[in-house]
Amino acid sequence: MSKLPQITVKHRICVVCEGEEDFAYFKRLTELGVWDSSYKFDLKNAKSASNIPAMYTNIFQNNSYEAVLVFCDTDKAPFREYSLVKKKISQFHGNRAAVPGKVIIFANPCTMQIVLSHFGDVQLNNQGKKTNAGIIEKLTGIANYDAHAEQIAAICAKIYQRTYPEMKARVSSMNNPDTVPASTNFIEYLVKFESSDPKWLQALSNYLSKPE
């Protein structure tokens, strides 16, 4: 008698990405095979920070995922759009603090801070394309960067498994509050994504469902 095929149930996680850069970069990481195979990531492009809360709310209410995360920029002080994202998600969960460390993966001032960490040490002060074009060309070879789809794809194509540990080491040293320039909490999520232990998913669910 032939054996039945083994059925593996994956933990489904949705990640709401702020825009094209965030979406393309996160997608590239999912393709590298550097995270535990027990997770299945579905990515959504919000196309702007202002669209994140509504998209997050709709996806969460559909109850199709074990976790819904947000991947976004802080931009620069006073962080108006980013603060609204945090506030609205928190209000949706009954004013629970849906802040960095819970569902929001942030990069201050922008995701390019993380992306460039695959190629070298970098500290960006803002998310201006023209302002950062020089350092982007120096580290990636992509000239006159203005976030065209072809340029985003070209940078992502230069990211490999071998650059992942370098990025991870660099963002580990950037694990500071979201108000600090050149900071990100990405390392906290990388540790979770690399682990085969899904307890963090249940802990997140318990946190968001617990009444104040």
Side-chain angles (χ1 to χ4, degrees):
M1 187 174 77
S2 60
K3 293 183 179 180
L4 293 174
Q6 184 176 2
I7 300 175
T8 302
V9 178
K10 291 183 178 289
H11 301 287
R12 297 188 67 204
I13 300 172
C14 182
V15 182
V16 178
C17 302
E18 178 176 342
E20 298 295 338
E21 289 176 316
D22 319 85
F23 180 89
Y25 174 61
F26 207 101
K27 182 175 183 292
R28 179 57 178 165
L29 292 181
T30 65
E31 297 168 345
L32 295 182
V34 290
W35 295 336
D36 194 81
S37 61
S38 62
Y39 301 111
K40 169 69 168 63
F41 293 91
D42 289 338
L43 310 182
K44 307 294 183 182
N45 185 352
K47 300 188 183 300
S48 75
S50 61
N51 293 332
I52 290 175
M55 182 175 284
Y56 175 93
T57 299
N58 289 336
I59 295 171
F60 191 95
Q61 288 177 328
N62 285 337
N63 201 29
S64 298
Y65 301 95
E66 289 186 61
V68 182
L69 306 178
V70 170
F71 186 41
C72 65
D73 304 341
T74 66
D75 194 3
K76 58 185 178 181
F79 315 114
R80 289 188 180 90
E81 283 195 317
Y82 174 68
S83 296
L84 280 175
V85 168
K86 291 198 296 183
K87 179 180 179 180
K88 289 181 179 180
I89 292 177
S90 176
Q91 289 175 336
F92 170 69
H93 288 295
N95 291 319
R96 294 211 62 74
V99 295
K102 299 301 180 184
V103 301
I104 298 176
I105 307 170
F106 74 83
N108 182 332
C110 57
T111 300
M112 189 56 68
Q113 176 71 44
I114 300 174
V115 175
L116 293 179
S117 296
H118 285 267
F119 307 100
D121 297 323
V122 61
Q123 180 170 337
L124 302 181
N125 295 316
N126 60 61
Q127 59 177 197
K129 302 296 187 293
K130 289 185 178 180
T131 305
N132 297 327
I135 186 66
I136 292 173
E137 181 175 6
K138 179 181 178 181
L139 291 176
T140 70
I142 307 299
N144 303 313
Y145 184 79
D146 58 4
H148 282 165
E150 296 81 3
Q151 293 175 321
I152 296 172
I155 290 181
C156 288
K158 295 174 181 286
I159 294 173
Y160 301 98
Q161 282 189 358
R162 68 175 181 271
T163 69
Y164 178 82
E166 299 173 26
M167 176 276 292
K168 185 178 177 182
R170 291 185 177 107
V171 299
S172 179
S173 66
M174 301 176 194
N175 192 23
N176 295 306
D178 53 8
T179 54
V180 177
S183 64
T184 176
N185 63 345
F186 202 26
I187 187 62
E188 298 176 20
Y189 291 87
L190 296 180
V191 171
K192 294 172 181 175
F193 299 160
E194 292 174 12
S195 173
S196 60
D197 187 346
K199 288 180 181 177
W200 67 273
L201 289 169
Q202 187 58 55
L204 175 60
S205 177
N206 292 342
Y207 176 83
L208 295 178
S209 61
K210 185 187 301 182
E212 277 290 297

